[in-house]
Amino acid sequence: MRAVPIAVTALSALVLLTACDDGGGGGKSGQSGGRACAIDTVSMEAGPASVAPAAGDTGEVPVSFTNQSSECTLEGFPEVRLTGAGGSSVTREVPPAEGAKAQKLTLAKGESAAFTVTYVRGASGSGSFRAKDLRVVFPSEAGDPSTRVFRWSYGPIAAGDGEELEVSVSAYQRIGD
């Protein structure tokens, strides 16, 4: 007869956990309650990177920022895009890292957060994506996204099956105290 109380306890715990979900488990950067962090209210820097030295090696490019304004929130995953080099107008969106879990962060003025772009270096020539720029997109008060652009100087990015790039972005993480 102990099976019934254990099952009821487990079901109750599941219902309580579901009720606590704020809906911020994934998707693009944004907000649900509170003001979203805007690109013009944060200082932002890309690097220093752990550059992949040769084809097949993995590199990491951290992007950090500090809130310079009143309290704001980050939710979901960073929206990151890579634009092609050599006259290419191709833009590729960088997907979240497999298994990464988004979290909602509230940053007071002066607090910092970061995310990491992880990539596999491709061989020079075909089968790789030659990126020119790393673009970080934030929502804006007016509804139109704002973009900060950084030069990509970390080599070509390997393309896997179906031309998917071997690149991903981590969730936002608080840095500092």
Side-chain angles (χ1 to χ4, degrees):
M1 287 289 149
R2 286 188 49 95
V4 173
I6 291 173
V8 170
T9 303
L11 180 60
S12 298
L14 179 62
V15 168
L16 286 172
L17 287 172
T18 304
C20 293
D21 184 22
D22 66 1
K28 299 292 173 214
S29 59
Q31 69 177 44
S32 64
R35 183 179 66 85
C37 294
I39 209 158
D40 59 344
T41 63
V42 297
S43 61
M44 190 177 297
E45 168 180 346
S50 172
V51 178
D57 291 341
T58 301
E60 294 182 334
V61 182
V63 178
S64 58
F65 47 94
T66 301
N67 182 17
Q68 303 294 322
S69 187
S70 59
E71 185 175 274
C72 65
T73 61
L74 297 167
E75 189 170 355
F77 285 92
E79 188 171 340
V80 178
R81 299 177 184 150
L82 294 166
T83 57
S88 171
S89 61
V90 175
T91 299
R92 300 281 187 94
E93 193 165 327
V94 178
E98 190 174 316
K101 295 190 187 282
Q103 61 180 331
K104 182 177 179 179
L105 295 180
T106 300
L107 299 178
K109 183 176 183 175
E111 288 187 320
S112 299
F115 59 86
T116 302
V117 175
T118 302
Y119 71 100
V120 174
R121 187 174 185 134
S124 296
S126 64
S128 296
F129 182 75
R130 288 184 30 224
K132 177 179 89 173
D133 296 321
L134 169 72
R135 296 174 180 263
V136 179
V137 182
F138 270 59
S140 72
E141 296 285 323
D144 295 325
S146 299
T147 304
R148 184 84 42 95
V149 179
F150 299 96
R151 186 172 158 263
W152 183 269
S153 59
Y154 314 111
I157 300 168
D161 296 336
E163 296 298 310
E164 291 293 319
L165 298 183
E166 294 186 38
V167 62
S168 63
V169 64
S170 71
Y172 293 111
Q173 299 291 320
R174 187 178 308 278
I175 56 176
D177 293 345

